[in-house]
Amino acid sequence: MSGRVVILASSVVIFAAFLALLSLALLRTGGAPASGGVNQDFGEVSVEQKAAPGFTLELFGGGSVNLADLEGKVTLLDFWASWCPPCIEEAPSLNRVYEEYHEKGVEFLGVCIWDTTKTCEQFLEDYEVAYPTGRDAEGAILVDYGVKGIPEKFFIDAQGRVARKFAGPIRDEDTLRDILDEMLAASS
């Protein structure tokens, strides 16, 4: 009986922590997450070009990456979850474009949110994700970036500024290539 009480109490604490995180996100972003957490407003979103919020992300498989260490590179910051159908749909395209652009001074960084470590790792294995990826377990990164749904992508220029944002999947690899080419040309 006491084991059940411990499980119930743990579940209540975890749920309360999730609600607190969601409340913080709502306060900081001034809005509500998209329906079901999956971003329904697909396409480019207007952003103020400003310094990208810094963070250190612990990576699956070990190690970590600090965003400041990527200055000088064009960086695609991709927020996703294993249970998100558009994230699943675009995973192969992101991998292909990453493989093409990684040697050109472009870095992709995946941030798994609203998910468990086990399911994030399974997604990475199932879809053979090649770029560095970690889990934002506390939700601090998603709050700092004002993520309202998934997938969401932030394009950070070589000077470390958020230059563009896309809500929803980028289904057309050529669109992704055009954006990266434009950002690389601007950084030359």
Side-chain angles (χ1 to χ4, degrees):
M1 183 74 127
S2 65
R4 288 184 183 170
V5 171
V6 169
I7 291 171
L8 179 61
S10 298
S11 297
V12 169
V13 168
I14 290 169
F15 183 70
F18 173 76
L19 288 178
L21 177 62
L22 182 59
S23 297
L24 178 61
L26 291 173
L27 287 172
R28 296 209 37 200
T29 64
S35 173
V38 176
N39 201 319
Q40 301 298 318
D41 299 319
F42 297 155
E44 188 161 9
V45 177
S46 177
V47 292
E48 178 184 342
Q49 293 194 2
K50 62 180 182 178
F55 61 86
T56 298
L57 182 66
E58 298 299 319
L59 301 174
F60 293 113
S64 64
V65 65
N66 186 305
L67 185 64
D69 295 338
L70 299 178
E71 194 164 318
K73 292 186 174 193
V74 170
T75 302
L76 168 63
L77 185 60
D78 179 40
F79 290 90
W80 62 276
S82 67
W83 49 264
C84 161
C87 302
I88 293 166
E89 177 186 337
E90 74 176 351
S93 294
L94 290 175
N95 271 326
R96 280 190 293 273
V97 175
Y98 172 73
E99 291 294 336
E100 291 173 34
Y101 280 79
H102 181 64
E103 297 299 321
K104 297 180 182 180
V106 174
E107 186 59 78
F108 284 20
L109 187 57
V111 183
C112 183
I113 60 174
W114 302 324
D115 216 331
T116 66
T117 297
K118 182 178 179 180
T119 56
C120 292
E121 290 176 328
Q122 188 63 53
F123 180 98
L124 297 175
E125 183 179 322
D126 290 348
Y127 297 98
E128 300 175 352
V129 175
Y131 49 87
T133 302
R135 182 170 163 258
D136 183 17
E138 287 80 38
I141 302 169
L142 78 94
V143 169
D144 286 346
Y145 279 82
V147 173
K148 295 181 182 179
I150 51 174
E152 283 190 12
K153 283 162 213 54
F154 293 81
F155 292 85
I156 301 169
D157 67 19
Q159 292 74 41
R161 296 181 308 249
V162 174
R164 296 175 83 164
K165 175 183 175 182
F166 275 77
I170 298 179
R171 292 186 167 95
D172 179 17
E173 290 178 27
D174 288 334
T175 299
L176 184 52
R177 288 181 186 102
D178 290 345
I179 294 166
L180 295 173
D181 287 341
E182 179 184 310
M183 292 184 69
L184 285 169
S187 67
S188 301

